[in-house]
Amino acid sequence: MSLDGLSYTAASRMRALLCPIGRIRRSRFLEFVERVQLENIIRLGDIAPDPKPNRTMFSPQGFPNGQIVYNFSTSHDRDHEYLEPFEPHRRTFLVIAIADFTEGNPEEILLAQFEDLRAIYRRALFHTCLIFDSPSSAPLPSPKMRANDDRDTSKFFIPVPTKRESRVTTMRTIMCDITACLLSEFTGYARTLQSLPTIESPLVSGLAEESTPTAPGGSNRLSMPSIAGASVMGGLQQQRMSMQAFGSGTTTERARIRGKGRIQISIAELYLLTGRTTDALKELVEGANVAKNYNDHLWHGKALDGIGICLVILAYLGVDFQIPNIPFPPLDAKAASKSTPTPPKTPTPIEGGSSAPSVDLQQLLELIPEIGNSVLNLFNRSSNFQGESIPQLCFSETVIRYSKFMTATYLANGLNTKSLSNIVISYPLTKPETIEKRAPGLPEKRDISASVMRAYPNPIEALTVLDASKILGGISSVLGSIGFQRKKAMVSRELIRILIPGLIQARVVGAAGAGVHPAAGLSATSGPLVATPRSPSGGLDIMEDEVEIGIMGLLEDMCAAYGILRKEAKAPKDKVTEREKNVGDEIVAENELRAFGWPALKIHVLRSCMSLCEALPDFHGVLKFTAQLLKLGGSDLAKEEQIKLATNISRTISAASKLGLSGVQTSYWDAFLLRDIELVESAIWKSPTPHGRHELVGEEESGGTPVPILSSKNPFIYNPFGKNRDTVIAEQVLVQNELAEFKVTLQNPFDFDVEVESIALDVTGVEFETEKQGVVLSPFRTQQLSIFGKASQPGNMTVVGCKIKVFGCVEQSFPILTEGFDFGKMDIKIKRMGLSVLEAKLHRPASAVSKRASGKLAAMQAAPTPKTIPISVVESQPLVVAQASSLPQSALMVLEGERKTFNVVFKNVTAVPVDIIFFSFQDSTTTQLQAALASKDMQPSEIYEYEILLLKKRALIWKNEKDKASLTSSEDTSTELVGKNDSPILIPPQSTANFDIEVLGKPGLTNASVQMDYGYLGVPKDQIGPKFYTRQAVLPITVTVNASIELVRVDFIPFATSVDFGELSGPVEGEDGAVNEKNEQYRRLIRQAGVRSAPSEYCLMTLDLRNAWPQPLKVTLQVREPPKGTAEEDGDWIDPYETSDTIQAGHQNRFVLLVKRVHLANPTAKIPSLSGSQRQFVVSTSKPTAVQERLSREAFWFREEILKCIRGTWAEVGTARKGEVELRNFRLSPRMVETVRVDDVGIKMEVVPCEEADEDKDALLQKAAPGKFMLETDRFYNLRTTITNRTSREILPILRLSPSLRNQHISAALDLSRRFAFDGLLQQALRRIPPGGATSVEMGFVVLCRGEFEVTAGVEEVRIGRWGMEREQEQRKLGPDGIPEDVLEGVVGRMSWVGREVLTMVVRGGG
């Protein structure tokens, strides 16, 4: 992880230099540098302390929770050595030499070069050498040490094993050992600092270093900072000063105390660098108090800055700490200058400052900006004193560091873990898209912008190019992070203005020093000319810790602010397909860029970028911005300008070639280069048809031979209500290793020729070899050329475009854009202004209401859609033709309901066998039925009937007993072959096969076609891929369907309650003694019913059948008991009642059937769909009411139950022709439904004798018929009423009895006051009846006069809630709009029932 050189905590990082030693390759050196940089954070608790007592000043045991953050660099900064006493973090304290053991460097050479490094970088405290990829047993160089040097020589040369042999902690352990030695050296350096009287300010020390030659330091290993006593007369001056110091208020004493305060602050800085943050905080507070009391403003600000850094690091480490009393400067500068010095105060915690860091983060967030303002004010005050001014570089860096602190808290919405990680260890931080609630105390963006602009140097020419670039780059980084792109672009333009003269001068100076031409100066002396991951600054030699983005990144950001480029995140290489899919959005963005901003300004900016790239020289940048200018200007540029830019591209490529640089290319500037690709279909190749794997039928459950085709399933006929809605898209198909021709259309809208070096198809899925061709596109032309290629393997291939290589451009994959950009459909409404116009827009439907996303309105653009050509490459396929059939002239005639079978012979004329066959059929009724199903006026019951005809009663069916074809080879022998992988061979090569097809006579059937889809898989069906391919052989036939038996009328008649089945059990004779055939037939009909005592369970069904065929037909009808379950429904009919009769031609006969009445638990259930899907999103023109819907459903379900009990067949007399009678052509009226229905609640009444009667009960009570009783007057009887609950829910009923005189007017019939006497109430409430339960109620009565009486009964349901019980909650399924999908679902209500039987009582006079 690279560290930010301008981070707020940059002053707490230890600078270390990584340099190569011995013979080592650059790639290996960079690899070893990465291994070292991964361990840049060392915890003090992991470091072993030095056992020597004189080296424990910076012992890691003083603060084990602390950490040292290394700032590794591969370059040494000598230009800012004068700032090291004031800012110790700029000094290189550690030098790590990196050697490669595999290069075989001799020990003498390594030792000599190591001593040279120690001499060159003598200001470093510790030098060591890491020998990478060294075995543990390899000998190490042993340096010679002085007699008084007691350091451990084993840490000078350290072997590092290879990555394979290294453990996770190997490199960390090595860095801990190096850090331990470095901390030991810090003690001596700190003691030397403490012995000094003072430390001069940076400007004074810088002037002293420039005027005074550096003394040789051969005998002194440590380099001391610039001090006032470094001259020869320093000792006398010190002595004279000490002799004159007699009081605490004298000038000498104040200077001495001020100097000690500065040294104390420097020692605190060393504590901060070595991870002893708590000690650093203590020393900084004390030093700040001294500086405050003695008006040392520069060092006072330096101490306050360090205090803020310590507090932030402690918060990041998560340790408990107290915020001390920070010695802020007084507000009144005059009062502060006149105040008398006071001794430093001991730090004390502020109110509430003793809590954990999580409590103090908000307080710390408010404290750091206050410290920053005080530091900058102190730095400004110091400029009033001669020699105490802060350098402009340090001031600007301080402003940027505090601005980056505020930026981190702004992006992370407070001082939290994310912001602290970014501040301390430069963890990447991005601004969240949405912030639900902003934390209190956060700075505003305008405050951050105003703060960072204080770092802008004035005048900027006073700084070096390197320092100015660093400061302007830091300002641009802060402005870009908070979204001030335009202000960032302004600073970036100033940076470019400074860089161009400096780069030109560097080229001239570097070329003169190297003795080469200036055009090749940077390429010969400065390494890479362009930005690379290893060298982000390109040809500009900028240090790694001072560069946040490369030169190209800086130019791209500036161009994005001016609307030239759209700054986007770089997509990974494995997501090229997603980028190509969004090519339409890219084209919309390009057109928006052209319309955005000031064209003249954008051209000026692009030319500035081109000038900078030429000054580097960066040939890639020159080509990139030249191409960008052509892309934005396009054909609108003047002809001379276009030719000049094209010439510039050619000249740049030539210059790069002369310098030996390869790969200097750019992207082509016209996205519409490729306009169309067409596959030229071959005349000799017939494309197979693709199918999905789900269309295959699995193996039989019995475990037999895999069945290739199930005759009852039609996989290829379009089913609009199929469960699988994935329609098979017609694909273009190629064959493996067969040459195919493609026609490509290219365009050139510019005023200069475009040289296309090569063009090839961009194909995904399979290997496709293309014969590359070149062409020169003339100005303002559209040209076509043919490209030939072939696929070398089978599979799915998709042509997404062409890979085109234009001269000077990289080979790009261009999508197929058949349509241009429609400027007329662009959104011309001004909804956004500024840079927000360049941001991505959210798409929305044209008719939808506009929605806001992130505070911005989404817009719709008419972007062109790239075209893709899916092509399937298949292996060799067989070819089958229809050779013969058993139908003369391919025509046949059938009657309605008749089934006839014919034979078809297919022949395989190729050498490839056929192991898979699908039969599908098309007939004239299919189209009509599908059109009827698509109608909006269809009711669910009618749709069900059409689906029965479409799915259950197909006109043609493949009929084969063994589900295999009868195979006949060329020798006319019947065989059964098996192909490879045990897959059945249905048609061998050069053989024929016979197939039987069955035709069902249906009304409207006039023509049909037998379609056999066949193919060769070669593998078992469970190993087939997602797709397979077949060809199709078609045999058209003509069918004539004539009428046979027609159903004219259907009616249902209830039984009279006085009919007794027992009376009809014997033969019925007429007056002459002969047996009546009609009565005998009726007797057989009743005998077949099997129930004698319940006539109400049956009804009579009459059917009028008409013979429309010119020949007599014998009709047979069968009736059975209602099936119980699906097994009985689909199984064989067991002992059905059968009746038959012969109907003459043109005659009509009536058939009477005894059918058992039906009870349905839910007669209002929703009518299902046989296809498994409902008609959603179909607006019906008719909206039936709930009552109409209930009657329709009841008629449907009772009709379905009746159809399950009856069936009919016909046979032609004298011939073998036979068929089925269509009995579905009738509807049930509400009266018929009531006749067929068995009520949910059954009511049965009967008269029973009273238990107290002493006479003969049989004599007093006689049952004349079902529901008819013979009684006597003045006798006691009981009326028993039995109520049966056939529903699936519990009911709470009320029974109502209504006696009356028979055959009388209602006014006289109900007058029973002197005729009838009841022992009880005629209306009474009953107990709850469970589902399927029954209850009986008896009530005594006496008839007082003779006559005929009738008793009717009714039951009414009481609401459950009326009796204080919880009401049943009916769960109703709701649709997406909240409306119930079924209007009748869960609707029960309050029901009432009336008994079907009427109890008749014939009363006689008593004996």
Side-chain angles (χ1 to χ4, degrees):
M1 181 187 299
S2 61
L3 299 177
D4 184 7
L6 295 175
S7 175
Y8 177 70
T9 59
S12 65
R13 297 167 183 171
M14 184 85 68
R15 188 177 182 86
L17 176 64
L18 303 177
C19 56
I21 186 174
R23 185 171 59 250
I24 183 173
R25 297 181 181 179
R26 178 179 178 84
S27 60
R28 296 275 291 175
F29 173 73
L30 295 177
E31 178 184 353
F32 299 150
V33 168
E34 289 182 358
R35 293 185 61 183
V36 176
Q37 288 178 343
L38 291 177
E39 305 297 337
N40 64 332
I41 300 176
I42 304 299
R43 184 175 175 272
L44 295 183
D46 299 335
I47 302 174
D50 196 331
K52 299 177 183 179
N54 59 341
R55 293 175 176 266
T56 58
M57 182 175 179
F58 296 92
S59 174
Q61 292 181 345
F63 186 52
N65 293 328
Q67 65 181 17
I68 297 177
V69 180
Y70 281 103
N71 184 13
F72 292 110
S73 175
T74 57
S75 60
H76 184 61
D77 183 14
R78 297 185 181 274
D79 298 335
H80 302 98
E81 290 183 354
Y82 70 97
L83 296 176
E84 292 179 0
F86 183 70
E87 295 179 342
H89 68 277
R90 295 182 181 273
R91 180 167 182 167
T92 301
F93 290 97
L94 175 63
V95 176
I96 300 178
I98 295 178
D100 189 358
F101 181 82
T102 59
E103 294 292 339
N105 295 303
E107 297 182 8
E108 297 79 8
I109 296 179
L110 290 180
L111 187 59
Q113 293 186 4
F114 182 71
E115 293 297 333
D116 293 341
L117 284 179
R118 295 176 63 184
I120 295 173
Y121 305 107
R122 60 182 182 275
R123 299 172 62 86
L125 299 184
F126 186 70
H127 303 76
T128 185
C129 178
L130 300 180
I131 304 177
F132 282 84
D133 295 351
S134 174
S136 58
S137 60
L140 300 175
S142 178
K144 296 180 181 181
M145 305 299 295
R146 299 182 181 88
N148 58 350
D149 197 344
D150 57 350
R151 289 179 296 175
D152 187 7
T153 59
S154 62
K155 303 303 180 184
F156 285 178
F157 290 89
I158 302 175
V160 181
T162 61
K163 283 187 177 181
R164 185 183 299 273
E165 298 175 356
S166 299
R167 298 181 180 178
V168 179
T169 59
T170 299
M171 201 65 212
R172 180 175 293 273
T173 304
I174 294 174
M175 289 303 302
C176 290
D177 297 339
I178 295 175
T179 306
C181 298
L182 179 62
L183 293 180
S184 300
E185 299 297 332
F186 262 94
T187 302
Y189 180 67
R191 300 299 183 193
T192 305
L193 283 180
Q194 291 176 347
S195 64
L196 299 177
T198 185
I199 298 177
E200 295 294 344
S201 298
L203 289 182
V204 176
S205 62
L207 295 175
E209 288 183 359
E210 293 178 1
S211 60
T212 305
T214 304
S219 60
N220 188 6
R221 185 177 57 84
L222 299 177
S223 61
M224 299 297 103
S226 300
I227 57 177
S231 62
V232 180
M233 301 299 293
L236 297 177
Q237 293 177 1
Q238 276 187 332
Q239 184 178 4
R240 188 179 301 112
M241 290 168 59
S242 62
M243 292 175 63
Q244 294 175 356
F246 289 100
S248 60
T250 62
T251 305
T252 305
E253 182 65 18
R254 292 172 63 88
R256 186 184 64 82
I257 297 177
R258 180 185 298 178
K260 291 300 181 182
R262 292 184 178 185
I263 293 175
Q264 190 174 13
I265 294 173
S266 298
I267 296 298
E269 291 285 343
L270 297 182
Y271 277 122
L272 184 61
L273 291 174
T274 56
R276 298 273 294 271
T277 311
T278 54
D279 296 333
L281 179 61
K282 177 182 177 182
E283 296 293 334
L284 286 172
V285 173
E286 294 178 358
N289 281 289
V290 173
K292 174 184 177 182
N293 295 333
Y294 290 93
N295 294 332
D296 194 356
H297 301 303
L298 181 61
W299 290 85
H300 185 194
K302 177 64 178 175
L304 291 181
D305 186 24
I307 291 174
I309 295 175
C310 291
L311 295 178
V312 171
I313 293 177
L314 290 176
Y316 168 75
L317 295 176
V319 298
D320 296 341
F321 68 97
Q322 295 179 345
I323 300 179
N325 284 331
I326 301 176
F328 288 103
L331 298 178
D332 189 1
K334 296 181 179 180
S337 63
K338 296 180 180 179
S339 60
T340 57
T342 56
K345 299 179 181 179
T346 304
T348 56
I350 63 175
E351 183 179 357
S354 60
S355 58
S358 59
V359 180
D360 295 333
L361 290 182
Q362 182 61 33
Q363 186 177 2
L364 190 61
L365 175 61
E366 301 173 357
L367 180 62
I368 297 300
E370 183 179 355
I371 292 177
N373 293 330
S374 300
V375 170
L376 297 180
N377 292 333
L378 287 172
F379 286 166
N380 290 329
R381 290 183 186 180
S382 66
S383 62
N384 298 326
F385 299 90
Q386 184 178 4
E388 296 295 329
S389 299
I390 187 171
Q392 180 63 43
L393 177 63
C394 299
F395 181 83
S396 298
E397 288 184 353
T398 303
V399 174
I400 294 174
R401 289 193 296 106
Y402 278 97
S403 300
K404 288 202 171 185
F405 174 85
M406 292 188 291
T407 302
T409 56
Y410 172 78
L411 296 178
N413 194 24
L415 193 62
N416 46 37
T417 304
K418 292 183 179 180
S419 58
L420 289 174
S421 300
N422 175 263
I423 295 170
V424 179
I425 61 174
S426 299
Y427 186 82
L429 186 64
T430 56
K431 182 180 179 181
E433 296 182 358
T434 57
I435 299 178
E436 297 181 357
K437 182 180 181 181
R438 290 183 57 85
L442 287 181
E444 298 292 339
K445 291 196 296 183
R446 59 177 178 271
D447 297 334
I448 300 175
S449 174
S451 174
V452 75
M453 290 305 296
R454 296 177 62 183
Y456 193 88
N458 189 19
I460 195 171
E461 289 78 8
L463 297 178
T464 63
V465 176
L466 188 61
D467 294 343
S469 301
K470 181 179 180 179
I471 294 174
L472 294 179
I475 296 174
S476 299
S477 175
V478 174
L479 294 175
S481 299
I482 61 177
F484 281 29
Q485 300 297 334
R486 291 185 173 180
K487 188 173 290 188
K488 175 185 176 182
M490 180 189 67
V491 178
S492 300
R493 288 189 64 191
E494 185 69 18
L495 175 60
I496 292 176
R497 185 185 65 82
I498 296 174
L499 284 177
I500 291 176
L503 289 173
I504 295 176
Q505 182 181 3
R507 286 178 57 185
V508 176
V509 174
V516 296
H517 193 272
L522 289 179
S523 63
T525 60
S526 300
L529 296 175
V530 295
T532 62
R534 304 294 187 186
S535 179
S537 60
L540 184 62
D541 190 12
I542 301 178
M543 293 180 297
E544 294 175 356
D545 61 341
E546 297 177 350
V547 177
E548 296 180 356
I549 58 176
I551 295 298
M552 290 304 299
L554 176 66
L555 298 180
E556 290 176 357
D557 289 341
M558 184 183 66
C559 292
Y562 285 103
I564 301 173
L565 296 175
R566 188 182 295 273
K567 189 65 175 178
E568 296 179 353
K570 295 182 179 179
K573 295 182 180 180
D574 56 346
K575 294 187 177 181
V576 178
T577 304
E578 296 182 2
R579 179 183 60 80
E580 293 175 354
K581 290 181 180 178
N582 298 330
V583 65
D585 298 336
E586 295 180 1
I587 295 174
V588 172
E590 292 294 338
N591 285 273
E592 289 180 349
L593 286 175
R594 295 181 62 182
F596 176 82
W598 187 4
L601 179 60
K602 292 195 290 185
I603 292 175
H604 177 72
V605 172
L606 281 174
R607 287 174 178 171
S608 300
C609 295
M610 293 168 57
S611 300
L612 178 63
C613 294
E614 290 176 355
L616 283 173
D618 185 357
F619 300 117
H620 290 279
V622 174
L623 293 181
K624 177 177 180 178
F625 291 108
T626 304
Q628 186 63 33
L629 184 55
L630 284 173
K631 183 182 294 183
L632 290 181
S635 58
D636 297 334
L637 294 175
K639 182 177 181 180
E640 294 77 10
E641 182 73 14
Q642 295 185 32
I643 296 176
K644 181 180 178 181
L645 293 176
T647 306
N648 188 26
I649 293 176
S650 301
R651 186 176 63 251
T652 304
I653 295 175
S654 299
S657 301
K658 292 178 181 179
L659 294 176
L661 298 177
S662 60
V664 179
Q665 298 172 343
T666 185
S667 299
Y668 189 67
W669 42 87
D670 184 15
F672 291 88
L673 176 61
L674 178 63
R675 299 314 304 260
D676 196 9
I677 298 179
E678 296 179 0
L679 174 62
V680 181
E681 187 174 354
S682 176
I684 60 175
W685 175 257
K686 188 176 181 181
S687 301
T689 305
H691 302 286
R693 182 180 180 180
H694 63 277
E695 298 177 4
L696 284 175
V697 183
E699 298 183 3
E700 292 183 343
E701 297 180 356
S702 60
T705 305
V707 181
I709 286 299
L710 187 64
S711 59
S712 62
K713 181 177 181 180
N714 191 349
F716 296 130
I717 293 181
Y718 171 72
N719 182 6
F721 299 101
K723 292 183 179 180
N724 194 337
R725 291 301 186 91
D726 297 335
T727 58
V728 179
I729 301 175
E731 297 184 20
Q732 300 180 4
V733 181
L734 296 180
V735 68
Q736 181 182 359
N737 295 326
E738 181 175 341
L739 195 64
E741 179 182 359
F742 294 85
K743 184 183 296 183
V744 180
T745 305
L746 304 177
Q747 76 166 10
N748 177 22
F750 300 96
D751 287 315
F752 55 88
D753 294 338
V754 176
E755 181 182 355
V756 178
E757 296 181 352
S758 65
I759 179 172
L761 291 181
D762 187 4
V763 176
T764 61
V766 300
E767 296 182 0
F768 191 84
E769 300 177 0
T770 305
E771 299 177 0
K772 293 186 177 181
Q773 298 184 13
V775 65
V776 177
L777 301 179
S778 302
F780 286 102
R781 294 291 185 272
T782 299
Q783 298 181 214
Q784 290 184 346
L785 70 155
S786 297
I787 299 179
F788 297 90
K790 59 182 178 179
S792 58
Q793 61 182 5
N796 294 327
M797 181 181 76
T798 303
V799 180
V800 297
C802 283
K803 295 181 179 179
I804 303 176
K805 174 69 172 65
V806 182
F807 174 74
C809 302
V810 296
E811 185 179 22
Q812 294 177 247
S813 179
F814 288 87
I816 308 172
L817 299 175
T818 57
E819 298 180 358
F821 190 85
D822 191 353
F823 293 93
K825 295 183 179 180
M826 288 187 62
D827 188 4
I828 59 176
K829 296 180 180 179
I830 300 176
K831 297 185 177 181
R832 295 187 292 180
M833 299 180 64
L835 293 178
S836 60
V837 178
L838 301 178
E839 298 180 2
K841 299 179 180 180
L842 300 178
H843 296 281
R844 59 174 174 81
S847 60
V849 180
S850 300
K851 298 182 180 180
R852 294 184 178 268
S854 303
K856 303 177 180 64
L857 290 176
M860 181 189 67
Q861 298 289 354
T865 303
K867 171 186 174 183
T868 58
I869 305 176
I871 300 176
S872 299
V873 182
V874 298
E875 297 178 350
S876 300
Q877 295 292 319
L879 180 61
V880 177
V881 296
Q883 187 178 21
S885 67
S886 61
L887 297 178
Q889 299 180 356
S890 298
L892 77 160
M893 187 276 294
V894 292
L895 300 181
E896 291 183 8
E898 181 184 5
R899 296 181 182 272
K900 184 173 290 188
T901 304
F902 65 93
N903 181 265
V904 182
V905 180
F906 289 98
K907 182 178 181 180
N908 183 5
V909 298
T910 62
V912 181
V914 176
D915 61 357
I916 181 171
I917 291 178
F918 292 89
F919 272 99
S920 59
F921 308 93
Q922 289 286 349
D923 58 83
S924 57
T925 62
T926 303
T927 305
Q928 301 174 5
L929 291 175
Q930 291 177 353
L933 289 173
S935 175
K936 297 181 180 180
D937 299 331
M938 301 299 297
Q939 297 297 327
S941 59
E942 297 176 350
I943 295 175
Y944 185 87
E945 292 299 322
Y946 287 141
E947 290 179 348
I948 286 287
L949 296 176
L950 184 63
L951 301 177
K952 297 296 184 180
K953 296 184 178 181
R954 299 176 181 174
L956 285 83
I957 299 175
W958 175 36
K959 183 179 181 182
N960 197 295
E961 296 180 357
K962 298 182 180 180
D963 289 329
K964 291 183 180 180
S966 176
L967 305 180
T968 305
S969 63
S970 57
E971 290 81 7
D972 296 334
T973 58
S974 179
T975 58
E976 292 185 0
L977 304 181
V978 178
K980 62 180 181 179
N981 299 323
D982 297 334
S983 60
I985 300 300
L986 301 179
I987 306 179
Q990 304 297 331
S991 302
T992 59
N994 298 330
F995 299 91
D996 294 333
I997 307 298
E998 185 180 74
V999 180
L1000 172 63
K1002 295 172 59 177
L1005 180 62
T1006 57
N1007 56 78
S1009 62
V1010 180
Q1011 302 172 354
M1012 185 181 75
D1013 292 80
Y1014 61 91
Y1016 177 67
L1017 303 177
V1019 294
K1021 288 188 298 181
D1022 55 353
Q1023 301 178 10
I1024 298 175
K1027 284 186 179 181
F1028 64 95
Y1029 296 86
T1030 62
R1031 284 177 172 171
Q1032 191 176 79
V1034 181
L1035 175 65
I1037 61 174
T1038 302
V1039 183
T1040 302
V1041 180
N1042 293 324
S1044 56
I1045 298 297
E1046 298 177 353
L1047 181 60
V1048 179
R1049 182 176 179 273
V1050 174
D1051 196 3
F1052 291 87
I1053 303 173
F1055 272 124
T1057 56
S1058 60
V1059 176
D1060 189 1
F1061 285 1
E1063 298 176 357
L1064 302 174
S1065 59
V1068 180
E1069 300 180 355
E1071 297 178 356
D1072 54 353
V1075 178
N1076 192 330
E1077 293 183 0
K1078 293 292 183 181
N1079 293 338
E1080 182 62 22
Q1081 184 179 4
Y1082 191 53
R1083 182 187 63 81
R1084 290 196 304 267
L1085 178 63
I1086 295 177
R1087 181 184 299 173
Q1088 186 67 26
V1091 179
R1092 302 295 186 267
S1093 59
S1096 60
E1097 295 184 4
Y1098 291 86
C1099 64
L1100 293 179
M1101 179 180 181
T1102 61
L1103 298 93
D1104 295 344
L1105 300 180
R1106 178 178 177 274
N1107 182 9
W1109 181 242
Q1111 301 295 329
L1113 299 178
K1114 183 179 180 181
V1115 178
T1116 302
L1117 300 179
Q1118 292 182 344
V1119 184
R1120 66 173 178 178
E1121 292 288 325
K1124 299 178 181 179
T1126 308
E1128 293 186 9
E1129 180 180 344
D1130 299 335
D1132 297 335
W1133 287 34
I1134 302 175
D1135 297 332
Y1137 165 70
E1138 181 178 307
T1139 179
S1140 60
D1141 193 6
T1142 301
I1143 305 177
Q1144 299 298 324
H1147 287 215
Q1148 177 177 320
N1149 288 9
R1150 173 168 293 182
F1151 292 80
V1152 179
L1153 303 178
L1154 185 63
V1155 181
K1156 192 171 184 179
R1157 294 169 60 229
V1158 180
H1159 173 262
L1160 293 178
N1162 186 13
T1164 60
K1166 197 172 183 179
I1167 298 177
S1169 174
L1170 294 180
S1171 58
S1173 62
Q1174 300 298 330
R1175 289 161 56 91
Q1176 299 182 4
F1177 312 111
V1178 177
V1179 181
S1180 178
T1181 56
S1182 61
K1183 296 181 180 180
T1185 62
V1187 176
Q1188 295 175 348
E1189 185 69 18
R1190 180 179 59 82
L1191 294 177
S1192 176
R1193 293 186 183 183
E1194 288 179 352
F1196 172 81
W1197 287 114
F1198 282 105
R1199 174 175 172 271
E1200 289 299 314
E1201 292 297 323
I1202 293 298
L1203 290 175
K1204 293 177 184 178
C1205 302
I1206 61 173
R1207 67 180 180 182
T1209 59
W1210 58 264
E1212 187 178 6
V1213 178
T1215 63
R1217 189 187 297 270
K1218 60 181 179 180
E1220 299 177 356
V1221 178
E1222 182 59 55
L1223 299 178
R1224 301 189 63 89
N1225 300 331
F1226 71 92
R1227 295 176 179 269
L1228 292 183
S1229 63
R1231 180 189 62 79
M1232 297 180 184
V1233 172
E1234 293 299 324
T1235 303
V1236 176
R1237 179 202 302 269
V1238 173
D1239 293 332
D1240 293 338
V1241 175
I1243 304 174
K1244 181 181 179 181
M1245 296 182 295
E1246 60 180 348
V1247 178
V1248 296
C1250 184
E1251 296 181 357
E1252 291 78 5
D1254 297 336
E1255 294 89 350
D1256 187 4
K1257 298 181 180 181
D1258 296 336
L1260 298 177
L1261 176 63
Q1262 295 180 4
K1263 184 177 181 181
K1268 184 177 181 181
F1269 293 89
M1270 307 295 295
L1271 306 180
E1272 293 184 359
T1273 58
D1274 300 330
R1275 300 290 185 182
F1276 288 95
Y1277 299 96
N1278 286 342
L1279 178 60
R1280 179 182 297 170
T1281 304
T1282 303
I1283 301 174
T1284 305
N1285 181 14
R1286 300 188 182 97
T1287 64
S1288 59
R1289 59 189 179 90
E1290 189 181 61
I1291 63 173
L1292 183 63
I1294 292 179
L1295 175 62
R1296 290 187 174 92
L1297 299 177
S1298 178
S1300 62
L1301 286 173
R1302 191 179 183 187
N1303 301 326
Q1304 296 293 328
H1305 190 266
I1306 187 172
S1307 58
L1310 296 179
D1311 186 11
L1312 301 177
S1313 58
R1314 298 181 180 181
R1315 298 183 179 91
F1316 230 96
F1318 287 93
D1319 184 11
L1321 298 177
L1322 296 179
Q1323 176 177 322
Q1324 55 182 316
L1326 307 180
R1327 67 177 184 273
R1328 294 179 180 272
I1329 304 177
T1335 183
S1336 298
V1337 178
E1338 292 187 4
M1339 182 175 60
F1341 69 93
V1342 177
V1343 183
L1344 303 178
C1345 64
R1346 291 178 299 173
E1348 294 184 3
F1349 297 87
E1350 291 182 349
V1351 180
T1352 58
V1355 174
E1356 184 176 355
E1357 187 180 11
V1358 180
R1359 291 186 182 273
I1360 298 177
R1362 186 176 178 180
W1363 297 97
M1365 301 184 66
E1366 296 182 359
R1367 188 171 183 175
E1368 295 181 357
Q1369 300 294 333
E1370 297 290 345
Q1371 299 294 334
R1372 305 182 68 181
K1373 185 181 298 184
L1374 302 180
D1377 52 356
I1379 301 176
E1381 294 182 357
D1382 189 0
V1383 296
L1384 298 180
E1385 183 181 1
V1387 178
V1388 179
R1390 185 176 179 181
M1391 305 295 293
S1392 61
W1393 301 271
V1394 178
R1396 288 178 174 266
E1397 297 182 357
V1398 178
L1399 181 63
T1400 303
M1401 295 181 293
V1402 180
V1403 183
R1404 300 170 301 180

